[in-house]
Every structure is written in structure tokens, then in C-alpha cells.
Amino acid sequence: MPVEKTIIFVCAMYCLALAIFHAMFWKLFKWEKDLASLTSANRAIIQILNCRLIYFFLFAAAICILYPVELYTTKLGKAFLSGMSIFWLGRTIEQFIFLRVNSKVVHLLTLVFFIGAVLFILPVFLSNT
């Protein structure tokens, strides 16, 4: 199996893990209690955005599982992988802008986001097509 295909499978598992993590936000962050202090619009926006992220991560995982060869051999696939890498690089940078917390968990998440950026760009650079 080409290394690109293996990395893209890891990308799929990465996205699946992030989808599961986001699905746990309601309990992890006690959203029922914490979001109650927000306006109904802001409460809805946060939950809707989280639901859309869960969908996006599941969609990205499905694309990686169903079309791995197309992802590293076509211009469209490489654009998708590059876009996903930029998504995770942006998320890494946003940690430093919006979540300035000196915490091991926050630092670990920052590393996880950076790993996502690297994982998604690797098949683009490794492919010969």
C-alpha cells in the first residue's frame, strides 16, 4: 500500500476522533449549565457551529476513506488535502490568539492541531503525480 494512502487513512481516523471529541462537548464543558448564561441566539450559534464541525469532520473522514487515491493523485484531491492542512494550521494559530491559557491540556491540543496540519499536507508532498 502506498505511504500516501496510509497517511490519508490516518487523516480519516484523525477526523473521526475530532468528530467524537466535539460530540462530547456538551458533557465535557457542561454546556447545559454554562451556555445558559448566554443569549438564546449565542447559545444556539455555538451549538449549531459545533454540530456543523462534527458533520464536517465526518464528511472529511468519509472522503479520506472513500477516495484516498484520488486525494493524492488529482489536483482536486491535493487542493482538498491542502485546504484541510490550512484549516488545521489556522486552528493551531487560533489557539495562541483566542486561548491564551498555560495548561498542559491546551498545549497538547495545540500539538494535536499542528499534527493535523502536517498529516494532511504530507500526501501532497509525497505523491509523484
Side-chain angles (χ1 to χ4, degrees):
M1 176 183 299
V3 68
E4 297 93 342
K5 195 171 181 180
T6 302
I7 294 169
I8 290 171
F9 178 78
V10 173
C11 289
M13 295 303 102
Y14 177 89
C15 287
L16 184 59
L18 267 292
I20 293 167
F21 178 57
H22 273 265
M24 295 171 21
F25 274 20
W26 281 266
K27 286 195 184 260
L28 277 174
F29 298 108
K30 300 174 180 70
W31 274 6
E32 185 176 334
K33 178 185 170 213
D34 280 3
L35 296 183
S37 64
L38 299 177
T39 65
S40 61
N42 282 332
R43 183 172 46 254
I45 289 166
I46 287 173
Q47 293 178 90
I48 291 167
L49 285 171
N50 193 55
C51 287
R52 293 300 84 214
L53 272 177
I54 293 167
Y55 167 82
F56 177 74
F57 294 147
L58 292 173
F59 176 73
I63 294 298
C64 289
I65 289 168
L66 296 172
Y67 305 103
V69 175
E70 291 86 343
L71 286 174
Y72 68 87
T73 60
T74 68
K75 288 182 182 181
L76 179 59
K78 290 178 183 183
F80 175 83
L81 292 171
S82 298
M84 288 297 293
S85 179
I86 292 167
F87 176 91
W88 289 113
L89 181 60
R91 184 61 185 89
T92 302
I93 293 167
E94 290 161 354
Q95 283 287 99
F96 296 103
I97 297 169
F98 298 112
L99 194 57
R100 297 182 198 168
V101 177
N102 189 11
S103 156
K104 288 181 182 178
V105 173
V106 171
H107 298 319
L108 177 64
L109 281 173
T110 304
L111 178 62
V112 167
F113 301 145
F114 181 73
I115 288 169
V118 173
L119 274 175
F120 277 95
I121 204 64
L122 272 176
V124 173
F125 286 115
L126 293 174
S127 68
N128 295 328
T129 55

